[in-house]
Amino acid sequence: MGEKCIQLLHFSVVLLVFCGNTPVLGVSLEAKIRCMEREKQALLQFKETVVDADGVLSSWGSEEDKRDCCKWRGVRCNNRTGHVTKIDLSSSYMTGKIRPSLLELQHLKYLNLDGNDFGGGNQIPVFIASFSRLQYLDLRGNSFYGPIPHQLGNLSNLRYLDLRWNQLDGGNIEWLSHLSLLRHLDLSYVNLSQSTNWAETINSLPLLKSLRLRGCQLPNVVPFNSSLSLKFLNLAGNNLSSSIYSVLFNSSNNLVDVDLSSNQLKGLIPDSFGNMISLVNLDLSWNQLEGGIPNSFSNLTHLQTLFLQYNSLTEELPEFLEGNSLQVLNLEGNKLSGAIPESIRQCSSLIKLFLGNNILNGTVTKSIGRLPKLQVLDLSSNRFTGHVPRVPSNVTLLYLSKNMFSGSISLICTSVGVQLRYLELSNNQLSGELPDCWDMFEFLSVINLANNNFSGKLPNSMGSLNNLQALQLRNNSFHGELPPSLKNCENVRFIDLGRNRFTGKIQAWIGMHLTSLDVLSLRSNNFYGGIPENICHLNHIQVLDFSQNDLFGELPKCFNNFSSLVQKDGSKAPYRLWYKEYNSLYTIGHVYKGNALVQWKGEEREYTNTLPQLKIIDLSSNNFHGKIPKQVATLAQLVSLNLSRNNLTGQIIQEIGQMKMLESLDLSGNRFSSEIPTSLARLNYLSMLDLSNNNLSGKIPSSTQLQSFNASTYSGNPQLCGLPLPNKCPGEEIVVKPHSNDTRSQEEEEEEEDRFITPWFYISMGFGFTVGFVVVFGTILFSSSSRHTYFQFLDGIHNWLYVTTALNIARLHRRL
Ligand SMILES: *[C@@H]1O[C@H](CO)[C@@H](O)[C@H](O)[C@H]1NC(C)=O
Ligand SMILES: *[C@@H]1O[C@H](CO)[C@@H](O)[C@H](O)[C@H]1NC(C)=O
Ligand SMILES: *[C@@H]1O[C@H](CO)[C@@H](O)[C@H](O)[C@H]1NC(C)=O
Ligand SMILES: *[C@@H]1O[C@H](CO)[C@@H](O)[C@H](O)[C@H]1NC(C)=O
Ligand SMILES: *[C@@H]1O[C@H](CO)[C@@H](O)[C@H](O)[C@H]1NC(C)=O
Ligand SMILES: *[C@@H]1O[C@H](CO)[C@@H](O)[C@H](O)[C@H]1NC(C)=O
Ligand SMILES: *[C@@H]1O[C@H](CO)[C@@H](O)[C@H](O)[C@H]1NC(C)=O
Ligand SMILES: *[C@@H]1O[C@H](CO)[C@@H](O)[C@H](O)[C@H]1NC(C)=O
Ligand SMILES: *[C@@H]1O[C@H](CO)[C@@H](O)[C@H](O)[C@H]1NC(C)=O
Ligand SMILES: *[C@@H]1O[C@H](CO)[C@@H](O)[C@H](O)[C@H]1NC(C)=O
Ligand SMILES: *[C@@H]1O[C@H](CO)[C@@H](O)[C@H](O)[C@H]1NC(C)=O
Ligand SMILES: *[C@@H]1O[C@H](CO)[C@@H](O)[C@H](O)[C@H]1NC(C)=O
């Protein structure tokens, strides 16, 4: 067979000599290469057993025009022998089993099945170990399960091995030591907890350049010798202790990229880092490192990204020397103190600076405003004082919340440029009126000014913010009517104007134009008048809070239009979160947590993480009258309904039993009459009920639940009788049951909060996460070339999403 090919080749060379490259004949070397019939059949058999929903293999077939398998998508042959040497089916989203028939491809050097599902929860097929010429093997993200066949050690030509993102049990990985040509090894998320000799194994790979063992549950053994060839090292998420790195860095001035994040590294950061002069990226975040940032870091002139966030670092920030290359510096979540040194201006390459969550103080140096490339500035949760600093004009994300900044923010009109997307100034002591320059910020998507002392009216120019998604102004002293121009902010999803002195009617344009709203809180203002019917057009709404205003009139009869609160399958309309950029140039992340102050089981609380689950209608403390409209009962997803302290009358609707998810129901302080509907007893999740101070009568229906509430739930209804009330119903003998005290211990309250955060919550959090990601960085998700960026992102946030969740999201993503 091979001989024939050579003849063929010879023939075409002759042809070429005589005919040149004439397109008429169309003969070229390439065109004459035909694959081996047996190899072709093997590929066709492979195709038979896979499910190829996207038709990636449509060029594979036995038809006449497809007969050269070397031209099939993802297949490459040796151009002399015609043997198949390369199969690249990465990111094809195929499922099914790999058949041993593939073994026919004995000349295979390159096999890439990344991003399919050929594992289906089964083991890696042993026959893969028989591709004796294989140099490149990538099986990542295929849901392979169980032990890795040690026969893979037979693949002695292997240079590249990637098995990450499966559910593999590494067992003993000694077989790896036979792969002496290996340059790139990635076993991230393979369970290596039993591989006590992993370090020796790795040491025996002299050519290894890149080692990634992220999230492998590595046993904490004597550290390994960093081979001189190693450039990329990732041992993140392994619970390793400090002894690892103290040795690692003796001989390692070739290391370019080191990630030891999310381990148990303790003590000081060794000075010896200063010897690693080739370092470009260093990540020691999420450990327990102490002390200051060593001066020896100033030696690292190539360092572009430095991540030390979430350690216990103390002392002041180091001085920055001229000529550094830093692009991303993340020191968030430490105990760094003092002021930002003026020498920060030496970091002229800086793009992202995260100093949040420390105890930095003083006024922010003017040098910050002179970092020409700065796009992300996070100084939140520190003790900075003085005015909001002038920031570089290219800043897109500005986080200054939770400090002691004071005075007006009119500077933003002249300092910040058109790129601004996030403006987070909450929890400061800012005051004065808002400037009227919002029309400059066409990309602005989040404004959070909550918990300051701003006053005045909302400026008209806010209506130019077409991209606004969140507007949080809670707890200031704003007053006046909402500017009608706000109706142009049609993408807004989150409005919290609570605890101000806004006034005027709830305008019809809210329901007509702001139909993307998830959260609308007008709580505790001076709004008056009725609720317009078209408020029910807000069919994404999950939190609707109009409590503590001067609203009156009847409740609208259209609540059944709140489709996100009605639909049975809640997952169809998950609450959407926003995520802010984070970390390095290639990872993204950092949550924007839309938080809301809501009344939950009788208490005002600020909810952040749990918000996705909160589906609340709160119209309490107004002056609504009339009956509860029947349509309310269609809100099958509603978790909390509060209509207390109004002037509502009539019966509590019998249909209330349909609101199956209800956990909290407060109808107290109205004039409801007649009997309590028996269907109330069917609300299995109900754990807070208040019907007090109405005109209810008759016997409290019997159910374990309704009798388990305190008597205070029913008090102030003179004609109500039966347990747990002390007054017995006519003709009934009653034993008064002693009930527990009203004041609950703190423990009980915490328990309650915990109960709220169920495993179900974490799952949906993961889901909301993905969805939020789609919203903000949608292009990344759906372009397969950027898929790895997405996984890098997953890696980056693995600290708060456990591996399994990440895997689930990865899988979910693949199905999207
Ligand atoms: C044949 O393949 C080799 C290696 O892949 C390549 O260097 C060479 O240019 C190819 N020759 C032709 C004529 O395509
Ligand atoms: C691995 O190599 C050994 C000896 O070289 C051989 O006996 C064995 O069959 C090989 N295993 C596989 C799966 O190819
Ligand atoms: C990893 O493997 C060990 C031992 O086989 C096992 O005890 C542990 O539960 C595994 N870890 C995970 C996350 O599966
Ligand atoms: C590290 O290398 C030295 C010599 O190069 C060797 O003696 C030692 O055993 C190695 N350590 C490990 C853990 O392999
Ligand atoms: C991490 O290591 C600590 C001791 O350093 C140990 O107590 C803890 O159980 C380990 N955690 C895991 C998940 O292995
Ligand atoms: C690493 O270097 C330090 C001094 O710089 C030395 O004390 C230590 O023995 C070295 N460790 C190894 C394993 O070479
Ligand atoms: C900086 O690097 C040089 C070698 O390039 C080394 O001699 C010196 O000790 C290092 N300085 C620090 C502070 O680590
Ligand atoms: C900043 O905090 C340090 C203590 O960490 C204190 O000595 C210093 O006076 C503070 N500076 C200002 C301006 O508050
Ligand atoms: C600011 O951003 C604009 C647009 O992205 C860019 O053209 C300009 O070069 C940036 N300026 C600096 C100093 O980086
Ligand atoms: C808030 O501003 C008002 C004036 O607008 C002022 O009277 C009040 O003292 C300020 N409150 C705080 C806490 O700064
Ligand atoms: C409640 O409504 C009735 C009429 O339905 C009215 O007479 C009464 O004043 C209202 N109560 C309050 C507190 O507004
Ligand atoms: C209820 O509270 C009173 C005083 O607040 C206390 O004396 C009594 O022991 C408490 N009873 C129970 C059952 O906790």
Side-chain angles (χ1 to χ4, degrees):
M1 200 71 168
E3 215 162 89
K4 230 185 214 167
C5 259
I6 290 168
Q7 281 172 12
L8 209 66
L9 181 84
H10 180 71
F11 177 59
S12 31
V13 169
V14 171
L15 260 185
L16 274 176
V17 169
F18 279 90
C19 316
N21 238 347
T22 30
V24 184
L25 283 174
V27 179
S28 73
L29 271 173
E30 193 72 28
K32 278 294 169 194
I33 304 303
R34 291 271 172 76
C35 69
M36 309 284 150
E37 187 59 27
R38 279 162 53 200
E39 296 188 353
K40 177 174 155 186
Q41 290 308 324
L43 288 169
L44 285 176
Q45 280 183 37
F46 166 79
K47 180 182 174 176
E48 273 171 25
T49 56
V50 307
V51 181
D52 174 22
D54 294 355
V56 175
L57 301 185
S58 59
S59 60
W60 295 31
S62 45
E63 298 88 333
E64 184 57 21
D65 58 327
K66 295 177 181 167
R67 67 185 166 193
D68 185 359
C69 71
C70 298
K71 292 186 176 148
W72 291 354
R73 180 158 167 191
V75 180
R76 285 293 168 271
C77 300
N78 182 302
N79 56 16
R80 282 185 302 106
T81 65
H83 283 295
V84 173
T85 54
K86 177 167 174 177
I87 296 183
D88 182 352
L89 298 175
S90 53
S91 305
S92 301
Y93 311 114
M94 293 189 284
T95 60
K97 267 196 172 175
I98 323 175
R99 281 272 205 83
S101 64
L102 269 192
L103 266 185
E104 192 59 49
L105 311 174
Q106 268 305 310
H107 292 260
L108 203 62
K109 285 184 176 168
Y110 182 109
L111 180 60
N112 186 349
L113 303 178
D114 157 32
N116 291 286
D117 190 348
F118 290 126
N122 297 307
Q123 300 188 5
I124 295 178
V126 173
F127 74 80
I128 287 191
S130 307
F131 291 115
S132 56
R133 291 182 170 85
L134 211 57
Q135 296 183 6
Y136 186 107
L137 179 60
D138 188 344
L139 300 178
R140 84 182 98 149
N142 263 279
S143 56
F144 283 113
Y145 184 83
I148 304 177
H150 57 88
Q151 289 91 338
L152 290 186
N154 276 14
L155 297 173
S156 56
N157 285 305
L158 216 54
R159 287 155 169 79
Y160 186 106
L161 178 61
D162 192 341
L163 302 178
R164 84 188 103 147
W165 300 321
N166 286 289
Q167 284 144 35
L168 294 167
D169 184 352
N172 182 337
I173 54 168
E174 243 172 73
W175 54 270
L176 271 172
S177 58
H178 300 295
L179 309 181
S180 57
L181 300 179
L182 212 56
R183 286 161 171 80
H184 176 105
L185 176 64
D186 194 336
L187 300 179
S188 295
Y189 305 116
V190 173
N191 186 346
L192 296 181
S193 61
Q194 302 303 305
S195 307
T196 43
N197 54 351
W198 65 273
E200 279 141 312
T201 304
I202 299 299
N203 284 340
S204 64
L205 302 173
L207 302 178
L208 204 62
K209 239 186 178 141
S210 165
L211 175 65
R212 285 178 51 107
L213 301 176
R214 180 168 200 132
C216 290
Q217 299 174 260
L218 288 176
N220 210 353
V221 294
V222 186
F224 63 101
N225 293 340
S226 151
S227 111
L228 284 180
S229 60
L230 202 62
K231 288 194 158 141
F232 305 96
L233 175 67
N234 188 331
L235 300 177
N238 277 302
N239 206 15
L240 298 173
S241 73
S242 307
S243 54
I244 282 288
Y245 68 7
S246 52
V247 172
L248 172 66
F249 299 129
N250 268 8
S251 62
S252 49
N253 43 17
N254 286 320
L255 280 165
V256 170
D257 202 314
V258 172
D259 186 349
L260 299 176
S261 62
S262 305
N263 281 297
Q264 308 265 350
L265 305 182
K266 295 182 184 70
L268 304 178
I269 301 177
D271 262 337
S272 48
F273 271 107
N275 297 325
M276 301 170 65
I277 49 174
S278 306
L279 265 186
V280 174
N281 301 302
L282 176 60
D283 190 344
L284 301 175
S285 62
W286 298 92
N287 280 291
Q288 290 142 35
L289 298 167
E290 292 165 358
I293 299 168
N295 284 330
S296 64
F297 272 41
S298 60
N299 248 12
L300 307 178
T301 52
H302 300 295
L303 199 62
Q304 290 179 7
T305 65
L306 176 58
F307 299 143
L308 298 174
Q309 71 268 26
Y310 297 99
N311 279 287
S312 302
L313 299 176
T314 51
E315 303 182 21
E316 305 204 343
L317 296 179
E319 294 294 334
F320 297 90
L321 299 189
E322 216 173 324
N324 74 65
S325 311
L326 268 184
Q327 296 182 3
V328 183
L329 176 60
N330 193 334
L331 303 176
E332 204 176 327
N334 282 288
K335 293 170 195 151
L336 298 164
S337 59
I340 301 178
E342 209 263 321
S343 60
I344 189 100
R345 91 188 118 81
Q346 303 294 352
C347 303
S348 55
S349 308
L350 208 56
I351 297 172
K352 301 182 183 183
L353 177 61
F354 299 91
L355 299 177
N357 247 311
N358 280 289
I359 44 179
L360 299 168
N361 66 1
T363 57
V364 177
T365 168
K366 285 196 168 75
S367 300
I368 282 280
R370 301 204 191 102
L371 298 171
K373 299 195 167 150
L374 200 66
Q375 290 175 13
V376 179
L377 178 60
D378 185 349
L379 305 180
S380 56
S381 300
N382 278 290
R383 296 179 186 165
F384 290 114
T385 51
H387 282 91
V388 166
R390 183 177 280 276
V391 297
S393 62
N394 268 10
V395 159
T396 56
L397 312 179
L398 184 58
Y399 307 108
L400 303 178
S401 52
K402 297 190 182 156
N403 278 289
M404 294 181 286
F405 289 115
S406 57
S408 120
I409 60 165
S410 51
L411 193 65
I412 63 162
C413 294
T414 51
S415 150
V416 186
V418 64
Q419 309 291 339
L420 191 66
R421 282 164 201 268
Y422 285 73
L423 181 62
E424 281 247 37
L425 301 175
S426 63
N427 298 75
N428 279 291
Q429 292 155 19
L430 298 166
S431 58
E433 301 198 1
L434 297 187
D436 196 3
C437 61
W438 301 93
D439 42 352
M440 344 179 357
F441 305 118
E442 69 174 292
F443 303 113
L444 194 56
S445 67
V446 171
I447 300 177
N448 188 352
L449 307 178
N451 302 321
N452 278 289
N453 198 13
F454 288 110
S455 55
K457 297 183 177 181
L458 295 192
N460 250 320
S461 59
M462 279 195 153
S464 320
L465 298 168
N466 296 335
N467 287 303
L468 195 65
Q469 296 191 25
L471 180 61
Q472 296 194 249
L473 304 178
R474 170 162 37 92
N475 205 13
N476 279 286
S477 302
F478 290 112
H479 70 264
E481 300 191 6
L482 303 182
S485 62
L486 275 188
K487 68 166 179 280
N488 299 323
C489 304
E490 294 192 347
N491 292 308
V492 74
R493 295 161 163 185
F494 192 117
I495 292 185
D496 183 356
L497 307 180
R499 291 201 182 164
N500 279 287
R501 282 183 273 123
F502 287 113
T503 181
K505 292 191 172 177
I506 296 179
Q507 299 291 339
W509 52 259
I510 294 184
M512 283 163 68
H513 294 278
L514 308 186
T515 50
S516 301
L517 278 173
D518 295 324
V519 175
L520 176 59
S521 173
L522 307 179
R523 184 184 188 81
S524 195
N525 276 288
N526 302 325
F527 290 104
Y528 60 85
I531 299 182
E533 283 276 323
N534 62 18
I535 207 78
C536 300
H537 295 172
L538 302 178
N539 52 26
H540 295 294
I541 205 78
Q542 306 212 11
V543 174
L544 186 71
D545 188 345
F546 291 168
S547 64
Q548 300 175 43
N549 278 286
D550 301 321
L551 300 170
F552 53 81
E554 297 200 0
L555 300 181
K557 297 194 170 52
C558 53
F559 280 31
N560 49 322
N561 287 343
F562 287 137
S563 42
S564 65
L565 300 177
V566 169
Q567 62 200 179
K568 299 278 188 298
D569 181 3
S571 66
K572 276 194 183 138
Y575 181 78
R576 293 162 294 181
L577 292 171
W578 298 275
Y579 289 83
K580 62 184 183 182
E581 286 202 37
Y582 198 53
N583 278 355
S584 74
L585 298 174
Y586 48 83
T587 60
I588 15 189
H590 216 72
V591 198
Y592 175 71
K593 295 171 179 168
N595 57 352
L597 186 76
V598 295
Q599 178 117 1
W600 175 249
K601 298 187 182 174
E603 257 180 81
E604 268 190 3
R605 289 188 188 181
E606 202 176 274
Y607 280 96
T608 313
N609 291 342
T610 44
L611 201 54
Q613 297 315 312
L614 283 187
K615 299 193 173 176
I616 290 185
I617 290 182
D618 189 345
L619 304 176
S620 63
S621 302
N622 280 289
N623 202 7
F624 294 113
H625 68 263
K627 297 182 175 178
I628 301 184
K630 276 202 178 65
Q631 292 82 356
V632 168
T634 63
L635 304 176
Q637 295 296 317
L638 203 66
V639 173
S640 172
L641 177 64
N642 189 346
L643 302 176
S644 66
R645 275 153 271 171
N646 279 291
N647 197 4
L648 297 167
T649 51
Q651 234 183 316
I652 298 175
I653 48 173
Q654 184 65 40
E655 298 84 352
I656 201 148
Q658 295 167 15
M659 303 175 74
K660 289 286 180 209
M661 300 303 284
L662 218 49
E663 289 183 43
S664 175
L665 176 64
D666 190 347
L667 302 177
S668 63
N670 281 288
R671 294 192 292 133
F672 290 117
S673 53
S674 304
E675 300 198 338
I676 296 174
T678 49
S679 73
L680 200 58
R682 294 207 298 267
L683 299 178
N684 293 331
Y685 296 121
L686 199 63
S687 57
M688 187 277 171
L689 177 68
D690 194 347
L691 303 178
S692 62
N693 301 314
N694 280 291
N695 283 331
L696 298 167
S697 57
K699 182 175 182 295
I700 297 171
S702 305
S703 80
T704 20
Q705 210 151 1
L706 294 184
Q707 267 68 45
S708 71
F709 294 112
N710 286 335
S712 60
T713 290
Y714 305 101
S715 63
N717 292 285
Q719 298 175 60
L720 209 53
C721 63
L723 282 173
L725 288 174
N727 48 319
K728 55 186 180 182
C729 296
E732 269 191 6
E733 285 303 315
I734 255 189
V735 188
V736 177
K737 195 175 74 173
H739 45 76
S740 60
N741 280 346
D742 239 349
T743 49
R744 291 172 305 168
S745 69
Q746 197 172 346
E747 246 174 39
E748 281 171 317
E749 300 220 348
E750 275 166 12
E751 207 171 76
E752 182 158 299
E753 170 108 15
D754 282 352
R755 212 176 331 134
F756 189 54
I757 305 171
T758 53
W760 170 63
F761 157 68
Y762 283 109
I763 291 163
S764 37
M765 187 62 188
F767 192 72
F769 180 93
T770 315
V771 172
F773 189 74
V774 173
V775 168
V776 182
F777 305 106
T779 48
I780 291 173
L781 257 181
F782 291 108
S783 119
S784 62
S785 64
S786 324
R787 228 177 119 245
H788 293 156
T789 318
Y790 174 64
F791 279 115
Q792 301 260 24
F793 166 69
L794 281 184
D795 271 3
I797 49 89
H798 97 290
N799 294 303
W800 52 280
L801 279 183
Y802 289 109
V803 175
T804 46
T805 320
L807 283 169
N808 285 337
I809 291 180
R811 203 140 292 135
L812 178 76
H813 153 59
R814 237 187 287 141
R815 305 270 138 81
L816 278 176

